Amino acid sequence: MNKARKGPAFLVIFLMLLLIVAYIYAAYQTVKPARGLICNGVFVETVNVGGMSEDEARTAVAQYRDEYLQRTVEVDVNGKTVSATLEQLGYNCEVGDVIAKAMQVGKDGNPFTNYAKIREIATTPLVYKLKYDAKEKKIRTFVNKKCKKKCAKAKNAKVKRENGTFVYTDAKEGSTIDVDSTAAVEQAKSGDAIRVKADVTIQEPTVTKDLASRCKDKIGSFQTNFNAGNVSRSKNLSNAARLINDHVIYPGETFSVHDTISPLTEENGYYAAPSYSNGEVVDSIGGGVCQVSTTLYNAVLKAELEVVERSPHSMVVSYVKPSMDAAIAGDYKDFKFRNDTEVPIYIEGGVYSGTIYFNIYGEETRSDDREVTFESETTQTMQPGADKITYDKTKPASYTKVTQEAHVGYKAVLWKIVKENGKTKKTQINSSTYQAVPRYVTKGAAEGTPATPAASAKPQTTKKATKEPKATAKPKKTAKPMATVKPQETAVPAAAEPTTEAQ
């Protein structure tokens, strides 16, 4: 083809293209969405927003969203249904972004691409999906608080003692919910409720009736005496013993005296009675409960259970020998022990005629020839020193009153002695330090009255300790030291003559 012929051909092609462009442009102008309106054929979920303004579309879609959020989530938990709406579970959706996208359909390209898009959605509508955001914390709270209520916890077999005889209840299996998998709620189809089957796991009890029934043997017992004439202190001992009595400690569990008998308040049955405070004997609510923890401590030692926490008193007590005590003070001194056996442990305790006692029951697995005794050894004695004198100007110089007797200080250890199979083994259980406290004396200091001779620097209430020094005046009879553990030991031996002590 020569140049003369090429020129008209190119011109024809150019004119045809120009006509096509003009046609498409003209056609696009006829279907082009009006200014401020969404192109026909655009949907948001099931809402036809074609031909709507931005505000109209936002309102229509928001209404759809709000209706959707009122749909119900039904969780099947062991055949029981727990319900909540999507909105209550924290679901929400912002419609602004999807409306902005819908507004640009057929407008954001050149006339050719816009025209093609408009022709396409005329036959196949363009549907935008809403994206719902969930608050996981709310869903998990719903599963934990609402759904879990439909699950019964596994119940261990219980051990009770009625009229001196053990009674055992049946164990019951329970169930628990897997919170993570149950909380994975999927969105429902339009108009449908959301149905979820909770991921439930059967929970077996850890203590069956057969296992519980093995708790039948007395494995430890101890008693101490108190002055029943001190009514408030006696009531405190009785109340604390009552709160501990009938407790069952399952295998692996730890028992805390503080947590069991607290709070030490009048509302919880306690009275003001003497107790130790900063080296002085003062009245406080619950005074005397340390004798309860001490008595239980010795019963636990005789049962040979694991002692988790034990603290000595600041000063010695007279109802047990040094290092045989277990103090309770605020939240920093507690007596705790763990059930390190395979069967439940049952605690029986109470008071009678100036005696407090505890019996511990479990399964006796020790050999018949095993003999266990405990021995207190005082390693150091500290004398209390000079009197602490307070002068009272309202009293004559001849006035002298001892407000608190002196206490000798000690360092002591407790030994556990085991005789078995012809062999003897001696093990240190603990060590304790008890401070020495001088005698407190109040003397008169009124002017114009004759003075009295100065008091001796050394209190007359104590003497230099010998092999087994005592901190206070020796009672007529004290509680016997711990004896050999015997499975059939008498529950409550005969009471010794009561004594009066601060703790």
Side-chain angles (χ1 to χ4, degrees):
M1 183 181 290
N2 55 35
K3 291 183 179 180
R5 292 182 178 180
K6 286 182 179 180
F10 281 119
L11 181 60
V12 170
I13 293 173
F14 175 76
L15 290 173
M16 289 180 64
L17 290 174
L18 187 62
L19 288 173
I20 292 172
V21 169
Y23 172 79
I24 292 175
Y25 182 80
Y28 171 65
Q29 295 302 317
T30 62
V31 297
K32 177 182 179 181
R35 181 182 295 274
L37 299 181
I38 299 174
C39 181
N40 288 326
V42 177
F43 287 75
V44 176
E45 296 288 354
T46 59
V47 181
N48 185 355
V49 295
M52 292 185 181
S53 67
E54 182 176 355
D55 289 342
E56 290 172 338
R58 190 182 300 275
T59 300
V61 174
Q63 181 178 352
Y64 170 86
R65 174 203 60 194
D66 294 344
E67 291 174 355
Y68 181 86
L69 293 177
Q70 294 308 309
R71 292 189 178 115
T72 302
V73 177
E74 297 178 352
V75 182
D76 181 347
V77 185
N78 290 333
K80 301 175 182 177
T81 301
V82 185
S83 302
T85 65
L86 285 171
E87 184 177 35
Q88 289 172 333
L89 295 178
Y91 278 80
N92 200 2
C93 175
E94 294 295 332
V95 301
D97 289 344
V98 72
I99 298 301
K101 291 179 180 179
M103 291 294 296
Q104 295 301 314
V105 176
K107 301 176 185 179
D108 57 352
N110 58 56
F112 296 97
T113 58
N114 287 340
Y115 179 68
K117 189 67 174 179
I118 292 171
R119 289 293 301 272
E120 177 187 347
I121 65 177
T123 56
T124 306
L126 175 61
V127 180
Y128 287 101
K129 294 292 185 180
L130 293 175
K131 184 178 180 181
Y132 291 88
D133 294 322
K135 291 185 179 179
E136 184 180 352
K137 185 176 180 181
K138 276 196 172 185
I139 297 176
R140 294 179 70 88
T141 299
F142 167 72
V143 175
N144 272 312
K145 291 189 175 181
K146 301 290 186 180
C147 299
K148 271 192 174 181
K149 286 185 177 180
K150 302 299 180 182
C151 288
K153 291 183 179 180
K155 291 185 178 181
N156 288 324
K158 292 184 179 181
V159 180
K160 294 183 179 181
R161 192 164 172 81
E162 299 176 355
N163 300 321
T165 303
F166 279 109
V167 178
Y168 311 97
T169 64
D170 291 323
K172 293 181 179 179
E173 71 175 19
S175 59
T176 184
I177 287 180
D178 186 319
V179 176
D180 291 332
S181 59
T182 304
V185 179
E186 296 183 359
Q187 295 183 30
K189 295 180 180 180
S190 176
D192 294 335
I194 302 173
R195 293 181 175 86
V196 177
K197 189 170 182 63
D199 190 354
V200 177
T201 302
I202 298 301
Q203 201 175 45
E204 297 293 339
T206 57
V207 179
T208 63
K209 187 175 183 179
D210 288 342
L211 182 60
S213 63
R214 289 164 59 184
C215 173
K216 63 183 185 304
D217 306 315
K218 185 190 295 182
I219 59 176
S221 180
F222 198 77
Q223 68 171 30
T224 57
N225 304 114
F226 60 91
N227 180 8
N230 188 332
V231 177
S232 294
R233 190 177 186 282
S234 299
K235 288 181 178 179
N236 289 342
L237 268 64
S238 178
N239 188 52
R242 175 187 62 83
L243 293 172
I244 294 174
N245 179 55
D246 201 36
H247 261 76
V248 177
I249 302 95
Y250 290 100
E253 290 184 347
T254 296
F255 180 83
S256 163
V257 172
H258 172 273
D259 294 347
T260 304
I261 68 174
S262 293
L264 302 183
T265 60
E266 293 179 350
E267 293 76 13
N268 200 29
Y270 293 103
Y271 297 82
S275 62
Y276 288 154
S277 177
N278 299 319
E280 295 186 62
V281 179
V282 299
D283 277 353
S284 64
I285 302 298
V289 296
C290 288
Q291 186 168 351
V292 178
S293 61
T294 293
T295 307
L296 181 61
Y297 172 56
N298 285 276
V300 167
L301 289 178
K302 294 180 72 175
E304 297 189 80
L305 297 173
E306 178 188 347
V307 174
V308 176
E309 180 181 341
R310 171 264 171 190
S311 298
H313 288 78
S314 57
M315 299 181 289
V316 290
V317 295
S318 67
Y319 42 81
V320 290
K321 292 183 178 182
S323 272
M324 289 184 171
D325 60 326
I328 299 292
D331 57 0
Y332 61 93
K333 283 188 178 183
D334 192 6
F335 169 52
K336 298 178 182 179
F337 72 93
R338 191 175 76 90
N339 179 3
D340 55 350
T341 73
E342 296 179 353
V343 302
I345 293 296
Y346 179 87
I347 303 177
E348 178 184 55
V351 298
Y352 74 98
S353 302
T355 299
I356 178 170
Y357 70 93
F358 283 106
N359 299 320
I360 296 180
Y361 293 88
E363 181 180 41
E364 183 57 80
T365 58
R366 296 168 291 191
S367 61
D368 291 340
D369 71 336
R370 182 180 178 88
E371 294 183 0
V372 181
T373 57
F374 294 86
E375 180 181 291
S376 169
E377 178 186 357
T378 299
T379 59
Q380 185 178 346
T381 302
M382 293 86 75
Q383 294 302 320
D387 293 351
K388 276 196 172 183
I389 301 175
T390 301
Y391 292 95
D392 187 347
K393 293 183 178 181
T394 66
K395 302 293 184 182
S398 59
Y399 178 85
T400 299
K401 181 179 181 181
V402 178
T403 57
Q404 180 177 307
E405 295 292 350
H407 287 257
V408 176
Y410 302 102
K411 288 188 177 180
V413 294
L414 183 64
W415 297 96
K416 177 181 179 179
I417 303 169
V418 179
K419 295 180 180 180
E420 189 174 23
N421 297 326
K423 297 180 180 180
T424 300
K425 182 179 180 181
K426 188 175 182 180
T427 307
Q428 183 176 325
I429 297 299
N430 66 44
S431 61
S432 307
T433 299
Y434 306 91
Q435 63 180 314
V437 177
R439 187 174 65 163
Y440 284 74
V441 179
T442 300
K443 300 179 76 63
E447 296 182 1
T449 58
T452 57
S456 171
K458 184 178 179 181
Q460 299 302 311
T461 55
T462 59
K463 296 181 180 180
K464 187 174 181 180
T466 56
K467 186 176 180 180
E468 290 187 8
K470 298 296 179 180
T472 57
K474 183 178 179 182
K476 294 180 180 179
K477 187 177 181 182
T478 57
K480 295 180 181 179
M482 297 186 200
T484 302
V485 177
K486 297 291 183 181
Q488 301 303 321
E489 183 181 7
T490 303
V492 183
E497 186 177 356
T499 61
T500 304
E501 292 295 337
Q503 286 284 356

